[in-house]
Amino acid sequence: MQRKIKPIKSNFMNFVEDLEHNLTQKACRETAIPMEDYMKNNFNFLGIKTEVRRTIFKEAYEKHKQEVKANFRDIAWQLFTKNEREFHQCAIDLLVKEFKKNYVLDDITFIEKLITTNSWWDSVDVLAKYILGGYLKQFPNETYKVVERFSNSENMWLNRSALLFQLSYKEKTDFELLKSECLKHSKSNEFFIQKAIGWVLRDYSRFDAENVKKFVAEANLKPLSIREALRNIK
């Protein structure tokens, strides 16, 4: 049954304002410049290192915990559409924390919107592994439908997510589905797709190295995918 999001309380804005105020106080342009360079200048940064950002987030979360838990989807989206990358990272940290076995069926629409907004590998990879992966663990009957839609999309980040969502599945990985997705995108010239194919095969090789080796030998993958897939196999 679909869960209704509770009306936003007055302290909702207080959480976002507290977080924004405290993050801005720690902004450092000197630190932000190399961060922006590393991300190919796709995003603006405040210049706050991960440990500091997470401490500030934790303090604001504890202060407004009740309101945040009741409205975490709305809060995450508000943070995710702000300008600086640190706010997007806080949004993802919040979702990883609050979404655990706490999804509703129509959250897939929200997840798709997150993956396709302010997209880059640092956000998409976490969303794919922990958020999309967690959703499909809770609703396994949705897996093939969602993967097919994401995989057939013209959005490369949805394609990458359809490859990576099983990273958290370990030995429970559906290897037949994984192989199917790798083959489907094996001719892609997109760096991030070739890399994802290799990454997810390398990850699964920890549990079934022989079948990964066999698949790679037969699949005619791109050289980058092959190198990545076999990196940990002797």
Side-chain angles (χ1 to χ4, degrees):
M1 185 175 71
Q2 180 177 335
R3 182 182 304 169
K4 294 182 179 179
I5 298 175
K6 297 179 182 179
I8 297 174
K9 300 180 181 180
S10 60
N11 278 356
F12 167 65
M13 284 303 298
N14 288 339
F15 168 78
V16 175
E17 289 170 358
D18 281 358
L19 184 66
E20 185 170 15
H21 172 77
N22 292 328
L23 286 174
T24 303
Q25 290 292 306
K26 295 290 185 179
C28 176
R29 188 61 197 153
E30 184 177 350
T31 305
I33 291 172
M35 290 178 168
E36 292 171 354
D37 289 343
Y38 182 63
M39 289 296 171
K40 308 296 185 184
N41 293 300
N42 283 300
F43 307 101
N44 295 322
F45 278 79
L46 293 170
I48 302 172
K49 294 185 177 180
T50 301
E51 183 178 348
V52 176
R53 185 194 81 234
R54 286 180 172 165
T55 297
I56 292 171
F57 170 82
K58 182 178 179 181
E59 290 172 352
Y61 177 89
E62 291 300 326
K63 183 177 178 182
H64 303 282
K65 189 172 183 178
Q66 183 178 353
E67 289 76 18
V68 173
K69 289 183 79 68
N71 300 284
F72 72 88
R73 292 171 180 82
D74 297 303
I75 291 172
W77 181 245
Q78 183 172 349
L79 293 172
F80 208 72
T81 52
K82 285 186 175 292
N83 189 44
E84 290 84 9
R85 197 58 165 170
E86 285 88 347
F87 292 112
H88 309 164
Q89 293 164 339
C90 284
I92 293 171
D93 286 347
L94 175 60
L95 291 172
V96 170
K97 183 180 183 66
E98 294 298 327
F99 255 145
K100 291 180 180 178
K101 299 181 181 179
N102 194 30
Y103 297 90
V104 297
L105 193 60
D106 65 351
D107 275 331
I108 192 60
T109 302
F110 181 42
I111 293 168
E112 184 171 353
K113 185 165 68 168
L114 289 163
I115 292 170
T116 56
T117 302
N118 290 320
S119 308
W120 199 240
W121 63 265
D122 63 320
S123 60
V124 170
D125 291 359
V126 179
L127 290 168
K129 179 178 180 180
Y130 294 103
I131 306 303
L132 178 61
Y135 173 88
L136 293 176
K137 277 184 177 178
Q138 185 171 327
F139 299 111
N141 291 339
E142 297 295 303
T143 299
Y144 287 98
K145 179 174 67 177
V146 170
V147 169
E148 183 178 19
R149 187 171 83 252
F150 281 22
S151 184
N152 290 338
S153 172
E154 295 182 0
N155 184 289
M156 183 267 291
W157 299 110
L158 288 176
N159 302 160
R160 183 172 167 95
S161 298
L163 285 159
L164 296 181
F165 80 94
Q166 292 195 88
L167 284 171
S168 62
Y169 287 27
K170 302 181 180 179
E171 69 279 359
K172 295 181 180 179
T173 299
D174 183 338
F175 190 42
E176 293 304 313
L177 176 59
L178 174 57
K179 290 190 294 183
S180 175
E181 286 303 299
C182 289
L183 288 172
K184 185 173 185 177
H185 296 285
S186 62
K187 305 306 178 188
S188 174
N189 291 320
E190 285 281 1
F191 169 83
F192 288 110
I193 296 300
Q194 294 180 26
K195 191 86 170 179
I197 290 171
W199 179 15
V200 73
L201 288 170
R202 182 177 73 249
D203 183 73
Y204 185 65
S205 74
R206 294 181 296 152
F207 308 101
D208 193 351
E210 289 305 312
N211 275 321
V212 169
K213 282 173 60 177
K214 180 181 178 182
F215 173 71
V216 171
E218 298 171 350
N220 194 27
L221 302 174
K222 295 280 188 177
L224 174 59
S225 298
I226 294 172
R227 288 197 304 273
E228 290 294 318
L230 300 179
R231 185 190 296 177
N232 296 335
I233 299 178
K234 297 180 181 179

